């Protein structure tokens, strides 16, 4: 009887590593996609990866990143979004208007983070600036709508002041 108990215990102990491995949480997956090419996207992708690292996330160590680029062929974006969704990504990062629109059309449940210079309300990504609702959020610099207002503020400020410095960050379109 002792022999049978020992064999049972030994069999159970050998299964523990398998059970422990099966219970470990899976690594979160970020779906990063754009209507641009990978080369054109590099000036945006590099700071994105650096910011992730500053927050404690390192690609391949504790987060996985799936990249998809349509190479300027916006008609491919819905298929790329569907591909990322089927990969069960945790979040979608869309870096231009076409990819953000494709992501929004593809899912209502996976969070979408977008960046761009367009009005997200006008393009249907969010309901309003005050209460965006839904699963999309992001940063929009609204260069078209706010550009003239910014220039007007500069003119008003500069009328009685010394010249105001001007700077620009350029990111390839």
């Amino acid at each position: 009887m002792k022999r049978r108990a020992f064999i049972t215990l030994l069999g159970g102990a050998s299964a523990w590593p398998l059970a422990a491995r099966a219970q470990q949480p899976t690594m979160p997956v970020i779906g990063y996609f754009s209507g641009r090419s990978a080369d054109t996207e590099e000036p945006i992708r590099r700071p994105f990866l650096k910011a992730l690292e500053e927050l404690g996330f390192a690609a391949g160590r504790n987060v996985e990143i799936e990249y998809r680029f349509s190479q300027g062929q916006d008609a491919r974006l819905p298929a790329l979004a569907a591909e990322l969704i089927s990969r069960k990504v945790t979040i979608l990062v869309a870096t231009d208007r076409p990819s953000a629109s494709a992501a929004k059309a593809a899912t209502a449940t996976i969070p979408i983070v977008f960046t761009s210079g367009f009005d997200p309300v006008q393009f249907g990504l969010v309901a309003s600036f005050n209460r965006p609702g839904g699963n999309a959020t992001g940063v929009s610099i609204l260069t078209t709508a706010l550009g003239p207002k910014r220039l007007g503020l500069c003119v008003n400020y500069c009328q009685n002041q010394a010249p105001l410095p001007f700077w620009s960050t350029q990111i390839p379109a």
Side-chain angles (χ1 to χ4, degrees), residues 6-157:
F6 176 74
I7 291 173
T8 303
L9 179 64
L10 187 62
S14 66
W16 285 341
L18 296 174
R21 200 173 307 131
Q23 292 175 0
Q24 290 177 349
T26 58
M27 191 180 305
V29 179
I30 297 172
Y32 184 108
F33 79 123
S34 170
R36 296 182 276 265
S37 70
D39 290 339
T40 306
E41 192 71 19
E42 192 60 28
I44 298 169
R45 188 172 45 178
R46 233 178 297 121
F48 171 75
L49 292 173
K50 184 179 179 201
L52 279 178
E53 287 180 14
E54 289 171 0
L55 293 170
F57 296 98
R61 188 180 54 179
N62 59 358
V63 69
E64 192 175 331
I65 304 174
E66 290 281 330
Y67 295 100
R68 301 292 185 278
F69 303 99
S70 75
Q71 310 290 333
Q73 299 174 19
D74 292 347
R76 292 183 53 215
L77 286 168
L80 294 176
E83 190 178 312
L84 288 169
I85 290 166
S86 72
R87 176 73 175 81
K88 304 236 185 283
V89 296
T90 309
I91 190 167
L92 286 169
V93 174
T95 62
D96 57 9
R97 187 193 57 76
S99 61
S101 295
K104 182 69 174 172
T107 182
T109 56
I110 297 173
I112 301 165
V113 177
F114 61 85
T115 60
S116 72
F118 63 87
D119 181 351
V121 176
Q122 180 183 357
F123 285 97
L125 290 176
V126 296
S128 72
F129 285 110
N130 295 351
R131 298 193 184 272
N135 61 325
T137 189
V139 176
S140 177
I141 56 174
L142 290 177
T143 55
T144 307
L146 294 180
K149 291 181 182 182
R150 289 181 186 132
L151 184 59
L153 287 171
C154 286
V155 168
N156 287 340
Y157 178 79

